[in-house]
Amino acid sequence: MIKKHWITSLLLAVTAFPMMAQNLEQQIDNLLKQMTLEEKVRLSYAQAKFCSPGVPRLGVPELWTSDGPHGVRMEINWNDWGHAHWTNDAITAFPALTCLAATWNPELATIYGKSIGEEARYRKKNVLLGPGVNLYRTPLNGRNFEYMGEDPNLASAMVVNYIQALQSNGVSCCVKHYALNEQEEFRGHVNVIVSDRALRELYLRPFEAAVKQGKAWSLMGSYNQYLDQHASHNEVLLKKILKEEWGFDGAVISDWGATHNTDEAALYGLDLEMGTYTNGLTSEGHGFGYDDYYLGTAYLEKIKKGEIPMEVVNDKARRMLRLILRTSLPRFTQNPMDNFGSLNTDEHVLACRTVAQEGIVLLKNDVSAAAGKALLPIDFSQYKRILVVGDNATRRLTEGGGSSELKAKDEVSPLRTLQERYGKQAQITYAQGYTCGGAYFGRIDQIKQQTIDSLRNDAVAKAKEADLVIFIGGLNKNHFQDCEGGDRRFYNLDFEQDELISALADANKNLVTVIVSGNAYAMPWLAKVPNLVQSWYLGSQAGPALIDILSGDVCPSGKTPFTFARELEDYPAHKLGRVGYPGLDPDSLPAAFQFGDKTNPKSALLLQKGFFEKQAAAIAKDNNINKRNTSIDGRTHHGRGNEAEVYAEDILLGYRWFDAKAQNGTYAQSKSRVVFPFGFGLSYTTFAYGKPTISGNTVSVTVRNTGKVAGKEVVQFYVGDDKASVVRPVKELKHFEKVSLQPGEEKTVSYQIADDDLKFFDENTQQWTLEPGSFTIYVAASSADVKGKVKYVR
Ligand code: BGC
């Protein structure tokens, strides 16, 4: 039997594969020759919520897409957003992408992409709508959990492996949301004003890597605007940069309902229009159907009138055929069964658990004076009465959150895992502690104060009686938490968790604090809690993975993919009131931010000394500008529809900003506004770094495990330009490596400096430029923990 399969697959590989690889374009040419104009046009717009047509007459199949980045979404109705309630669409829910980024382990991105691709293939999807690589600009962004942090190089390293592995299954990625969609508030229209340097050096970088190195087959245009034009049909972003400059040969898919104009959609690079509001039945209901899409009849008529050149039509049809063929043809691998994918295998569950284990970040673990050691890892043999507090100990966190919602075959909660593992040796009780209502899209439950108080009082009373308290709280997938379609309303944890955590810390010294979130949050209780574990949305294996870490079965090795600042206003996006976030009527922009027709500021202006601080001071005095206009009535605020915002921190996003402020002394009095820096994470063991050396363009450093247990360390290499003609960040992450070390073991980690790592984007020449001179290479355990430096002259 095995032999027969092997022979069949070998034959297929020998005969069919070369034909497919070489002849894809020829096949497309043949198809295009046989197709009518109507058939070509029909490829470019939806026929259902998640499906677009092929060419039935010629046997070209339909294209099926599915959300989302963390698992294959349950089936949605053909023609509305309701769940279809199929009984065969439960899947493995993988950890959210913030968790993947926090592993700092690109090999896990490969395993993730391969596993999710197999599930998508089994579910007969051509395109998986992800991964998302918008950057972390504000901790209020409701969708940060779907993205990979604040650093473009970390996100790039992850996204490339994810895509390559996903697409090796014959399933296309759809990298999203291109571009500048760093918030949910006003997402449908906000006009982002950003310098070319910040655009190129930060926000476009992961997309560029996805296209050039990942070889992405499709990409999603976002909802917002850039240069007064919607991103899903944006001349600069799609036509000039993506297609002409980067040579993208895949298809651009609009975000659902992000198309607004036939001419722009036709001419500026959109290939497939999805989700424009419709009931799908051409003449019934609201009288708006699929043919009424911007790329439907209106497009066809314009072509017939000669207003749209045929080369544009053929190019779109070619890209759509390419996407369909790339994802529909058998893959002719050694094992023909691979063509069909697989669902919920043991390997997928293991992949989920491993990514979750490696992504969890140990933020704090103080040695208790009484015990003479830290509480973590928990020695479960020591505690007879264990109290678990918190909604996230039991909540299904794969549900809600918007389009990334999942129907997990089995989602194992932390409480269930604790009961299964330690329920016989200890008495494990649970107190909810706080409640948050249901996970609805676009609205929230109002929680009564009485309920909040009684849940807290109950938990605190029980905590006084327990030997050990494990609090598992944080954000969740409700609207206004970590959820699409709205941003968080404030930086603090909601549902009075700050008061609860504080009270628990007072009630019991043996408190373990676990926060689940896809975002940073205020920690007014930090000094009171002996430890803090940052968990993410961990998917199907949330419980086992978390308890693996708490128990010490696995040594924590995750590192933060973004900066945890003390207060919301410490993030530069929030220092300028509504100018920086979430945007305001462009006429109300202060004069300093009126950039003329093209709303295209130069970095040189934004980064000039004192400019930002001066504007922030002026804005702080101006009530009109500074007034937040986010509604707190439980509904998303849609604004007036013309809001613009300025990414005025420019190239100084995340740690780049905090580095710059530390260097110029702005933060001198306040010691530091950073609670946990980018790239930070503790371990149950300790590591010693040697002195870095450089030979040619290779920097090397030794790392030794000096503790008692095996562990993994992420060695980070940052590059800074010692002297440049433009303002440059103090340092930027360019390389990292996660090394696994037994106690006492030492390894050497190396980084080969590439010329591209030294360049900046020159706005005058519109070129990536290397200015020769001296550079500093920082070897670091986090962006704020530099272990050694070397000079490199180029
Ligand atoms: C989201 C996309 C998603 C699409 C389809 C949109 O609202 O922004 O990320 O893929 O819906 O569900």
Side-chain angles (χ1 to χ4, degrees), residues 233-252:
H233 31 81
N234 189 287
E235 187 176 10
V236 172
L237 293 176
L238 296 176
K239 187 167 178 288
K240 296 211 168 121
I241 298 179
L242 175 73
K243 291 188 170 173
E244 289 173 13
E245 191 185 314
W246 297 347
F248 176 64
D249 73 354
V252 173

Side-chain angles (χ1 to χ4, degrees), residues 568-615:
L568 185 63
E569 285 68 27
D570 291 325
Y571 292 97
H574 291 277
K575 280 193 184 300
L576 299 177
R578 287 163 51 203
V579 174
Y581 170 92
L584 75 174
D585 188 325
D587 295 338
S588 317
L589 276 176
F593 295 109
Q594 301 275 358
F595 300 106
D597 287 348
K598 275 283 150 219
T599 55
N600 194 194
K602 287 262 178 281
S603 265
L605 167 69
L606 296 174
L607 294 171
Q608 61 180 282
K609 228 178 165 83
F611 173 83
F612 192 98
E613 280 72 18
K614 212 164 92 197
Q615 298 312 321

Side-chain angles (χ1 to χ4, degrees), residues 134 302 376 387 418:
N134 295 92
K302 278 178 182 280
L376 294 173
L387 175 71
L418 282 168

Side-chain angles (χ1 to χ4, degrees), residues 383-453:
Y383 308 102
K384 286 280 158 266
R385 291 167 306 168
I386 300 174
L387 175 71
V388 181
V389 181
D391 198 52
N392 286 343
T394 58
R395 197 178 183 85
R396 289 179 73 86
L397 289 165
T398 52
E399 291 172 2
S403 58
S404 64
E405 63 172 356
L406 294 170
K407 189 203 277 185
K409 182 165 174 252
D410 189 17
E411 180 175 345
V412 186
S413 72
L415 182 64
R416 183 174 132 194
T417 309
L418 282 168
Q419 280 161 341
E420 282 170 4
R421 283 202 211 167
Y422 304 108
K424 286 209 180 85
Q425 70 190 58
Q427 184 198 61
I428 298 175
T429 45
Y430 175 66
Q432 193 179 357
Y434 67 94
T435 184
C436 5
Y440 316 114
F441 192 73
R443 67 189 173 88
I444 55 170
D445 280 328
Q446 300 295 341
I447 314 287
K448 288 198 182 113
Q449 191 60 45
Q450 222 181 355
T451 313
I452 295 175
D453 292 343

Side-chain angles (χ1 to χ4, degrees), residues 50 67 73 143 176-177 187 220 223 255 403 484:
F50 286 94
D67 286 299
R73 191 181 188 181
R143 288 188 95 171
K176 63 194 191 183
H177 303 88
R187 72 168 172 172
M220 187 185 291
Y223 284 123
D255 201 340
S403 58
E484 178 182 346

Side-chain angles (χ1 to χ4, degrees), residues 49-50 65-69 73 76 81 128-130 143 146-147 174 176-177 181 184 187 220-223 254-257 274-275 277 402-404 441 484-485:
K49 276 278 168 259
F50 286 94
T65 65
S66 173
D67 286 299
R73 191 181 188 181
I76 302 295
W81 288 107
L128 189 78
L129 302 171
R143 288 188 95 171
E146 289 189 55
Y147 306 140
C174 185
K176 63 194 191 183
H177 303 88
N181 182 187
E184 289 298 282
R187 72 168 172 172
M220 187 185 291
S222 57
Y223 284 123
S254 74
D255 201 340
W256 271 232
M274 295 299 293
Y277 297 111
S403 58
S404 64
F441 192 73
E484 178 182 346

Side-chain angles (χ1 to χ4, degrees), residues 660-704:
K661 297 299 134 183
Q663 195 186 48
N664 72 18
T666 318
Y667 287 163
Q669 313 94 322
S670 54
K671 202 162 147 214
S672 166
R673 303 306 300 169
V674 174
V675 185
F676 297 113
F678 171 79
F680 172 80
L682 300 170
S683 167
Y684 294 148
T685 188
T686 44
F687 301 98
Y689 282 66
K691 202 171 150 28
T693 57
I694 183 159
S695 158
N697 67 342
T698 304
V699 183
S700 301
V701 67
T702 58
V703 193
R704 174 185 287 274

Side-chain angles (χ1 to χ4, degrees), residues 145-217:
F145 74 95
E146 289 189 55
Y147 306 140
M148 295 199 261
E150 71 184 27
D151 184 84
N153 291 317
L154 175 61
S156 296
M158 295 296 173
V159 80
V160 167
N161 286 20
Y162 178 121
I163 292 171
Q164 286 175 348
L166 170 77
Q167 294 192 163
S168 72
N169 291 286
V171 174
S172 175
C173 68
C174 185
V175 198
K176 63 194 191 183
H177 303 88
Y178 185 79
L180 301 168
N181 182 187
E182 272 77 37
Q183 68 195 49
E184 289 298 282
E185 187 94 347
F186 305 155
R187 72 168 172 172
H189 62 266
V190 68
N191 191 24
V192 176
I193 300 174
V194 61
S195 75
D196 286 351
R197 267 192 78 193
L199 182 73
R200 298 298 196 125
E201 294 183 20
L202 298 171
Y203 299 99
L204 294 194
R205 281 300 262 195
F207 291 101
E208 188 175 359
V211 169
K212 290 188 177 166
Q213 296 163 51
K215 307 278 179 222
W217 291 338

